[in-house]
Amino acid sequence: MMQKILDLLNKQKLVESMLYNQATPRNDVIETLVHKQHLVELQRLLGRLSATEIGEILSAMSIDDAKGLWRQVDEDRQDDILWELSDALRESLVGLREPRDSKGQMNAFELINGRLQRVPITCRQDLTAIHPIWIDLLGASKGERRSIGQYYGLELPTADDATDLEVSARFYVEENDEVHLHSNFLLDREDDSRSVPVAFILHKDILFTVRDEELPVFRLQRLRAHNQPGYVSDCKDVLLDLYGADIEYSADALEDIYTALGEVGRQVLSEAMTDAEAAGILAEIAEQEDLNGRIRRNILDTQRMVSFLMRGRFISSDQISDAKELLRDIESLNSHTAFLFEKINFLMAATVGFININQNQRVSVLTTITVVFMPINVIAGMGGMSEFSMMTQGINWPVAYGAFSISMVMIGWITYLVLRFFEKRRNKGFLAGRVKDRQVS
């Protein structure tokens, strides 16, 4: 793609040079047509490329070619592309102009009078006049992350790439004393519950958070730190409080699971349940089991993160007390998730038991019908033989076949009554045995 763009730029330069050396009355018309043709082709190629790809192409070109290509870039895309360029190339193309934040939400939080004050980041110049303890990047592009990282002297990863690592490798320290922590935070919505990856970096008393989705935990943290003076004192307080808010959010989600399973339990313990109802209950139980497992995984991840901070002595003695409190809360949640797993298994087994009972009842009905009609089939077979006509010879055929039909119905009814008698007798014996066992116990 880059070679095609370079070829178009070179062809345009060549045609312009030829037309300049050969002055003819039609030069202006030809130059205009060639220019438009190249312009359309360049814009078509650029429209197929992402901002990152265009930034890489501009960085690999000479300054003259980069300026020529930059003139063909749509104004609506220029800010996105400027985030992808180095400071030197950006200054060569647009001077002192700073790229503006267009899609992502980047915020810096400065501690003023014990409260967190939010400062929106639209360009790097916004960072020169503040001293933040927390910089939150929500949905930031690669160029935006790189630009903010260069300003503070570090490399900011993507949240997805960070959490693709093995769990044991998600907490580590870089050579320049950057502390990297990568975790999953719960996002529990009525129609969608999932884990959202978040990357944390502690660098020079600043907490950097990189994520792709808004989370209730972050909104809660911002609200508390803004409304309560002294709620946080440094970036590590912000980090611990974010994890503490996630634990609270997980506890609320567990309460919702309790409520959902309580409603399911009332249905399961009812006297009867259809197969359709059982299928719906199984789907609900499976959904709650998945959410419970996700919560257990997230709090286990939080437990390992807090232990890592304590072992590495990255936090103060007061913060260690807060970390120990978080670990106690996590232990409490672990016991709740274990209990919920047991309840889920019980409800699952009970629901499957109802399905088996319904199947046994259908099989029992089919068996009863087969037994009732078995003697009737024997008699019907005998009535279809030639001997029956010989035995009823001399008897009017309506009378003979009428008596034969009545006999079949009577035999079927008597068979049914006999089956009911033995069934009731067996049930009475079963109930008497249970009453006796209760009296003994």
Side-chain angles (χ1 to χ4, degrees):
M1 187 64 68
M2 178 178 174
Q3 188 61 42
K4 290 183 179 179
I5 293 175
L6 288 174
D7 290 342
L8 284 173
L9 291 175
N10 292 331
K11 288 179 181 178
Q12 189 171 5
K13 291 179 182 179
L14 180 62
V15 171
E16 289 175 354
S17 176
M18 292 175 61
L19 293 175
Y20 179 78
N21 294 328
Q22 299 177 4
T24 63
R26 300 183 60 189
N27 276 359
D28 293 340
V29 177
I30 296 174
E31 182 178 0
T32 301
L33 291 175
V34 172
H35 175 74
K36 287 184 177 180
Q37 181 181 0
H38 289 165
L39 178 63
V40 170
E41 184 66 16
L42 274 174
Q43 291 178 345
R44 184 181 67 83
L45 291 176
L46 292 175
R48 294 163 53 186
L49 299 176
S50 65
T52 302
E53 292 172 330
I54 296 176
E56 292 175 351
I57 292 174
L58 287 170
S59 300
M61 287 181 169
S62 64
I63 295 297
D64 292 338
D65 290 336
K67 289 181 178 179
L69 180 61
W70 180 255
R71 289 192 293 267
Q72 312 306 326
V73 175
D74 189 359
E75 291 184 3
D76 294 337
R77 304 186 65 190
Q78 287 184 359
D79 284 321
D80 292 336
I81 298 172
L82 286 176
W83 283 107
E84 307 290 338
L85 305 179
S86 64
D87 293 342
L89 181 57
R90 186 187 306 121
E91 186 175 351
S92 299
L93 295 179
V94 296
L96 299 179
R97 171 187 166 187
E98 287 280 348
R100 312 297 295 184
D101 175 24
S102 58
K103 296 180 180 179
Q105 298 180 21
M106 302 188 296
N107 296 294
F109 295 88
E110 190 175 14
L111 195 62
I112 301 177
N113 297 326
R115 301 173 185 265
L116 276 185
Q117 300 294 332
R118 184 174 70 91
V119 179
I121 303 174
T122 57
C123 62
R124 292 203 306 181
Q125 291 179 348
D126 296 332
L127 300 172
T128 58
I130 61 174
H131 301 283
I133 65 170
W134 178 22
I135 295 180
D136 182 34
L137 306 181
L138 172 60
S141 66
K142 179 181 178 182
E144 291 168 342
R145 293 193 310 273
R146 181 171 56 192
S147 180
I148 299 298
Q150 288 176 350
Y151 183 85
Y152 288 102
L154 77 162
E155 183 177 352
L156 297 175
T158 64
D160 289 331
D161 292 344
T163 50
D164 284 342
L165 299 171
E166 294 294 334
V167 177
S168 58
R170 292 180 186 173
F171 314 129
Y172 59 92
V173 182
E174 291 282 7
E175 293 181 356
N176 57 353
D177 294 331
E178 296 174 16
V179 181
H180 288 252
L181 309 165
H182 309 299
S183 301
N184 290 315
F185 277 65
L186 179 66
L187 179 60
D188 184 23
R189 295 174 178 170
E190 184 176 354
D191 55 345
D192 184 20
S193 296
R194 64 185 184 278
S195 295
V196 176
V198 180
F200 296 93
I201 301 95
L202 289 171
H203 178 67
K204 294 182 179 179
D205 297 326
I206 301 176
L207 172 66
F208 297 87
T209 55
V210 182
R211 55 199 174 95
D212 295 328
E213 294 187 58
E214 182 60 276
L215 292 167
V217 169
F218 282 71
R219 291 198 301 267
L220 178 61
Q221 171 65 13
R222 293 195 299 264
L223 181 63
R224 287 177 175 176
H226 178 73
N227 294 336
Q228 301 178 24
Y231 186 76
V232 296
S233 59
D234 59 16
C235 62
K236 297 170 186 176
D237 278 343
V238 176
L239 175 62
L240 291 176
D241 288 335
L242 282 172
Y243 277 99
D246 186 49
I247 293 173
E248 294 179 16
Y249 188 71
S250 298
D252 293 338
L254 287 178
E255 290 184 4
D256 294 338
I257 295 178
Y258 271 105
T259 302
L261 292 181
E263 297 177 357
V264 170
R266 284 190 291 272
Q267 292 178 306
V268 171
L269 299 178
S270 61
E271 294 182 358
M273 181 191 304
T274 64
D275 288 349
E277 293 173 341
I281 289 174
L282 286 176
E284 178 67 20
I285 293 174
E287 181 179 350
Q288 299 305 322
E289 191 277 337
D290 180 68
L291 178 57
N292 189 49
R294 189 178 297 111
I295 292 173
R296 188 177 181 89
R297 177 184 177 185
N298 288 352
I299 60 179
L300 177 61
D301 185 56
T302 302
Q303 185 178 34
R304 300 185 63 172
M305 184 282 303
V306 175
S307 299
F308 170 79
L309 291 176
M310 294 175 64
R311 290 195 309 270
R313 298 180 180 179
F314 299 110
I315 54 181
S316 64
S317 57
D318 293 337
Q319 291 168 341
I320 287 178
S321 299
D322 295 336
K324 290 181 178 179
E325 186 66 28
L326 291 179
L327 293 178
R328 285 192 289 269
D329 292 339
I330 290 173
E331 290 296 331
S332 176
L333 291 185
N334 281 333
S335 62
H336 283 291
T337 56
F339 169 76
L340 286 175
F341 275 124
E342 293 177 359
K343 187 171 184 177
I344 288 170
N345 290 334
F346 164 74
L347 293 176
M348 187 79 71
T351 305
V352 173
F354 267 107
I355 295 176
N356 292 334
I357 289 173
N358 292 340
Q359 291 178 346
N360 292 337
Q361 289 176 346
R362 286 193 290 269
V363 172
S364 178
V365 171
L366 293 175
T367 302
T368 301
I369 293 174
T370 302
V371 173
V372 168
F373 280 92
M374 183 175 64
I376 298 176
N377 291 333
V378 174
I379 296 174
M382 293 175 61
M385 297 179 183
S386 58
E387 287 79 0
F388 178 77
S389 300
M390 295 174 60
M391 289 186 295
T392 58
Q393 191 175 17
I395 303 175
N396 195 7
W397 72 267
V399 175
Y401 279 95
F404 180 74
S405 300
I406 293 173
S407 300
M408 287 194 299
V409 172
M410 292 299 296
I411 291 173
W413 177 251
I414 292 171
T415 305
Y416 175 72
L417 292 177
V418 171
L419 291 175
R420 285 193 61 186
F421 171 77
F422 284 108
E423 183 69 21
K424 289 181 178 179
R425 185 176 179 181
R426 188 185 66 176
N427 291 337
K428 287 181 180 180
F430 176 74
L431 292 175
R434 291 189 62 183
V435 170
K436 184 176 180 182
D437 291 340
R438 289 180 180 178
Q439 291 175 351
V440 173
S441 60

